[in-house]
Amino acid sequence: MLGSADELFCPVIDISQFHSHNLAAAVREACEKNGWFTIVNHGVLLDLLKDLEALLEELFSLPIEVKERAIVYNPDACSANNETFDLERLPDLATMQKLHDRLWTKEGNPNNVMRTFISSMTELHNKMSKIFLASLNLDVKSLFHSDFEKCYSFMGINHYTPKDKEMDEEVMHPHTDIGCFSMLYTNNTLGLQVKSKEGKWLDVIPVPYSFVVMASDLLKMLNSLTQTHY
């Protein structure tokens, strides 16, 4: 943790009313004031998220020598406090099969969970791209197909070691993201901190089975939105 931090309940936005003008307005207001918000009714199934949590708990419990077989395991980004699997793009089925074959030798197919999750996240990414375009009063249909539909996406899987006492050191260096926006699934766990406009670090209180969405550098370039330091 970055010293003492106050608790923060992110603005919670229901994105089920996809074509609502109020939805676009709520997203814009949240980004102008804070740069981040929480989304619920996002379309990623609850059972899938539960299966994902169980799968990732198993993944990070594997011996280090097994995890190092993974083509996407990033030991340089790991420390005593965290481990990282970097997937530079939303991976295709061949990449996921390689990851599965290198890590899991027992029966069962964790690949199915990841494949379904990636498909769901692709749909959510497309939905959020359109919502952000609408919040900026831009031509959603035209710009989505020309600039967003085939854009670069990055997926990272991080594991942070629980601590019995408050940590004084940083687990991850404070930063903003260079893309348009980031979506974080927090596993219903406290640990994410964001920086307010006043320069104060705030603990984000997780909403169960939600995603925290943060405006990034490219959206800041498009309009007067606040990119998020976290």
Side-chain angles (χ1 to χ4, degrees), residues 14-28:
D14 182 343
I15 65 169
S16 60
Q17 302 299 318
F18 180 52
H19 297 290
S20 169
H21 174 74
N22 292 337
L23 172 57
V27 167
R28 183 178 181 91

PDB file of all heavy atoms in Angstrom, residues 14-28:
ATOM      1  N   ASP A  14     -24.762   0.658 -13.880  1.00  0.00           N
ATOM      2  CA  ASP A  14     -25.426  -0.501 -14.475  1.00  0.00           C
ATOM      3  C   ASP A  14     -25.406  -0.317 -15.987  1.00  0.00           C
ATOM      4  O   ASP A  14     -25.988   0.620 -16.516  1.00  0.00           O
ATOM      5  CB  ASP A  14     -26.866  -0.570 -13.958  1.00  0.00           C
ATOM      6  CG  ASP A  14     -27.635  -1.775 -14.480  1.00  0.00           C
ATOM      7  OD1 ASP A  14     -27.199  -2.398 -15.471  1.00  0.00           O
ATOM      8  OD2 ASP A  14     -28.699  -2.080 -13.901  1.00  0.00           O
ATOM      9  N   ILE A  15     -24.687  -1.199 -16.699  1.00  0.00           N
ATOM     10  CA  ILE A  15     -24.565  -1.028 -18.155  1.00  0.00           C
ATOM     11  C   ILE A  15     -25.522  -1.927 -18.931  1.00  0.00           C
ATOM     12  O   ILE A  15     -25.368  -2.108 -20.138  1.00  0.00           O
ATOM     13  CB  ILE A  15     -23.117  -1.255 -18.639  1.00  0.00           C
ATOM     14  CG1 ILE A  15     -22.682  -2.715 -18.421  1.00  0.00           C
ATOM     15  CG2 ILE A  15     -22.157  -0.303 -17.936  1.00  0.00           C
ATOM     16  CD1 ILE A  15     -21.370  -3.046 -19.129  1.00  0.00           C
ATOM     17  N   SER A  16     -26.520  -2.477 -18.236  1.00  0.00           N
ATOM     18  CA  SER A  16     -27.471  -3.342 -18.945  1.00  0.00           C
ATOM     19  C   SER A  16     -28.342  -2.549 -19.913  1.00  0.00           C
ATOM     20  O   SER A  16     -28.791  -3.087 -20.935  1.00  0.00           O
ATOM     21  CB  SER A  16     -28.356  -4.090 -17.940  1.00  0.00           C
ATOM     22  OG  SER A  16     -29.102  -3.185 -17.133  1.00  0.00           O
ATOM     23  N   GLN A  17     -28.609  -1.263 -19.602  1.00  0.00           N
ATOM     24  CA  GLN A  17     -29.384  -0.407 -20.508  1.00  0.00           C
ATOM     25  C   GLN A  17     -28.420   0.205 -21.520  1.00  0.00           C
ATOM     26  O   GLN A  17     -28.053   1.374 -21.445  1.00  0.00           O
ATOM     27  CB  GLN A  17     -30.125   0.664 -19.714  1.00  0.00           C
ATOM     28  CG  GLN A  17     -31.069   0.119 -18.670  1.00  0.00           C
ATOM     29  CD  GLN A  17     -32.160  -0.752 -19.295  1.00  0.00           C
ATOM     30  OE1 GLN A  17     -32.727  -0.425 -20.333  1.00  0.00           O
ATOM     31  NE2 GLN A  17     -32.435  -1.885 -18.659  1.00  0.00           N
ATOM     32  N   PHE A  18     -28.023  -0.630 -22.472  1.00  0.00           N
ATOM     33  CA  PHE A  18     -26.894  -0.315 -23.342  1.00  0.00           C
ATOM     34  C   PHE A  18     -27.099   0.949 -24.174  1.00  0.00           C
ATOM     35  O   PHE A  18     -26.177   1.722 -24.397  1.00  0.00           O
ATOM     36  CB  PHE A  18     -26.622  -1.523 -24.248  1.00  0.00           C
ATOM     37  CG  PHE A  18     -25.479  -1.343 -25.195  1.00  0.00           C
ATOM     38  CD1 PHE A  18     -24.239  -0.942 -24.737  1.00  0.00           C
ATOM     39  CD2 PHE A  18     -25.641  -1.578 -26.550  1.00  0.00           C
ATOM     40  CE1 PHE A  18     -23.176  -0.784 -25.607  1.00  0.00           C
ATOM     41  CE2 PHE A  18     -24.585  -1.418 -27.427  1.00  0.00           C
ATOM     42  CZ  PHE A  18     -23.352  -1.031 -26.949  1.00  0.00           C
ATOM     43  N   HIS A  19     -28.310   1.183 -24.652  1.00  0.00           N
ATOM     44  CA  HIS A  19     -28.556   2.306 -25.556  1.00  0.00           C
ATOM     45  C   HIS A  19     -29.134   3.531 -24.829  1.00  0.00           C
ATOM     46  O   HIS A  19     -29.607   4.461 -25.475  1.00  0.00           O
ATOM     47  CB  HIS A  19     -29.508   1.880 -26.680  1.00  0.00           C
ATOM     48  CG  HIS A  19     -28.936   0.803 -27.552  1.00  0.00           C
ATOM     49  ND1 HIS A  19     -27.901   1.022 -28.423  1.00  0.00           N
ATOM     50  CD2 HIS A  19     -29.255  -0.518 -27.669  1.00  0.00           C
ATOM     51  CE1 HIS A  19     -27.601  -0.098 -29.059  1.00  0.00           C
ATOM     52  NE2 HIS A  19     -28.406  -1.047 -28.612  1.00  0.00           N
ATOM     53  N   SER A  20     -29.055   3.524 -23.516  1.00  0.00           N
ATOM     54  CA  SER A  20     -29.619   4.624 -22.753  1.00  0.00           C
ATOM     55  C   SER A  20     -28.719   5.859 -22.814  1.00  0.00           C
ATOM     56  O   SER A  20     -27.497   5.766 -22.636  1.00  0.00           O
ATOM     57  CB  SER A  20     -29.810   4.200 -21.295  1.00  0.00           C
ATOM     58  OG  SER A  20     -30.109   5.304 -20.478  1.00  0.00           O
ATOM     59  N   HIS A  21     -29.344   7.028 -23.057  1.00  0.00           N
ATOM     60  CA  HIS A  21     -28.591   8.289 -23.021  1.00  0.00           C
ATOM     61  C   HIS A  21     -28.062   8.542 -21.620  1.00  0.00           C
ATOM     62  O   HIS A  21     -26.961   9.084 -21.437  1.00  0.00           O
ATOM     63  CB  HIS A  21     -29.488   9.446 -23.461  1.00  0.00           C
ATOM     64  CG  HIS A  21     -28.837  10.788 -23.309  1.00  0.00           C
ATOM     65  ND1 HIS A  21     -27.841  11.242 -24.159  1.00  0.00           N
ATOM     66  CD2 HIS A  21     -29.027  11.776 -22.372  1.00  0.00           C
ATOM     67  CE1 HIS A  21     -27.450  12.446 -23.772  1.00  0.00           C
ATOM     68  NE2 HIS A  21     -28.154  12.791 -22.692  1.00  0.00           N
ATOM     69  N   ASN A  22     -28.820   8.122 -20.603  1.00  0.00           N
ATOM     70  CA  ASN A  22     -28.383   8.308 -19.227  1.00  0.00           C
ATOM     71  C   ASN A  22     -27.109   7.527 -18.919  1.00  0.00           C
ATOM     72  O   ASN A  22     -26.282   7.957 -18.111  1.00  0.00           O
ATOM     73  CB  ASN A  22     -29.488   7.886 -18.256  1.00  0.00           C
ATOM     74  CG  ASN A  22     -30.685   8.815 -18.298  1.00  0.00           C
ATOM     75  OD1 ASN A  22     -30.575   9.978 -18.695  1.00  0.00           O
ATOM     76  ND2 ASN A  22     -31.854   8.300 -17.902  1.00  0.00           N
ATOM     77  N   LEU A  23     -26.951   6.363 -19.558  1.00  0.00           N
ATOM     78  CA  LEU A  23     -25.751   5.560 -19.357  1.00  0.00           C
ATOM     79  C   LEU A  23     -24.527   6.306 -19.863  1.00  0.00           C
ATOM     80  O   LEU A  23     -23.503   6.410 -19.165  1.00  0.00           O
ATOM     81  CB  LEU A  23     -25.890   4.212 -20.060  1.00  0.00           C
ATOM     82  CG  LEU A  23     -24.640   3.325 -20.112  1.00  0.00           C
ATOM     83  CD1 LEU A  23     -24.122   3.043 -18.707  1.00  0.00           C
ATOM     84  CD2 LEU A  23     -24.938   2.023 -20.845  1.00  0.00           C
ATOM     85  N   ALA A  24     -24.589   6.826 -21.084  1.00  0.00           N
ATOM     86  CA  ALA A  24     -23.459   7.573 -21.649  1.00  0.00           C
ATOM     87  C   ALA A  24     -23.134   8.785 -20.784  1.00  0.00           C
ATOM     88  O   ALA A  24     -21.958   9.097 -20.544  1.00  0.00           O
ATOM     89  CB  ALA A  24     -23.776   7.999 -23.080  1.00  0.00           C
ATOM     90  N   ALA A  25     -24.154   9.463 -20.301  1.00  0.00           N
ATOM     91  CA  ALA A  25     -23.946  10.649 -19.470  1.00  0.00           C
ATOM     92  C   ALA A  25     -23.297  10.280 -18.139  1.00  0.00           C
ATOM     93  O   ALA A  25     -22.420  10.995 -17.633  1.00  0.00           O
ATOM     94  CB  ALA A  25     -25.276  11.357 -19.232  1.00  0.00           C
ATOM     95  N   ALA A  26     -23.719   9.149 -17.558  1.00  0.00           N
ATOM     96  CA  ALA A  26     -23.153   8.712 -16.279  1.00  0.00           C
ATOM     97  C   ALA A  26     -21.685   8.346 -16.424  1.00  0.00           C
ATOM     98  O   ALA A  26     -20.857   8.657 -15.556  1.00  0.00           O
ATOM     99  CB  ALA A  26     -23.947   7.521 -15.740  1.00  0.00           C
ATOM    100  N   VAL A  27     -21.334   7.685 -17.536  1.00  0.00           N
ATOM    101  CA  VAL A  27     -19.936   7.321 -17.783  1.00  0.00           C
ATOM    102  C   VAL A  27     -19.085   8.572 -17.963  1.00  0.00           C
ATOM    103  O   VAL A  27     -17.980   8.684 -17.418  1.00  0.00           O
ATOM    104  CB  VAL A  27     -19.838   6.396 -19.007  1.00  0.00           C
ATOM    105  CG1 VAL A  27     -18.390   6.258 -19.473  1.00  0.00           C
ATOM    106  CG2 VAL A  27     -20.416   5.023 -18.681  1.00  0.00           C
ATOM    107  N   ARG A  28     -19.575   9.528 -18.722  1.00  0.00           N
ATOM    108  CA  ARG A  28     -18.815  10.752 -18.933  1.00  0.00           C
ATOM    109  C   ARG A  28     -18.595  11.493 -17.607  1.00  0.00           C
ATOM    110  O   ARG A  28     -17.492  11.959 -17.315  1.00  0.00           O
ATOM    111  CB  ARG A  28     -19.509  11.666 -19.934  1.00  0.00           C
ATOM    112  CG  ARG A  28     -18.688  12.928 -20.215  1.00  0.00           C
ATOM    113  CD  ARG A  28     -19.314  13.851 -21.230  1.00  0.00           C
ATOM    114  NE  ARG A  28     -18.439  14.982 -21.435  1.00  0.00           N
ATOM    115  CZ  ARG A  28     -17.484  15.052 -22.344  1.00  0.00           C
ATOM    116  NH1 ARG A  28     -17.294  14.023 -23.157  1.00  0.00           N
ATOM    117  NH2 ARG A  28     -16.712  16.121 -22.459  1.00  0.00           N
TER     118      ARG A  28
END
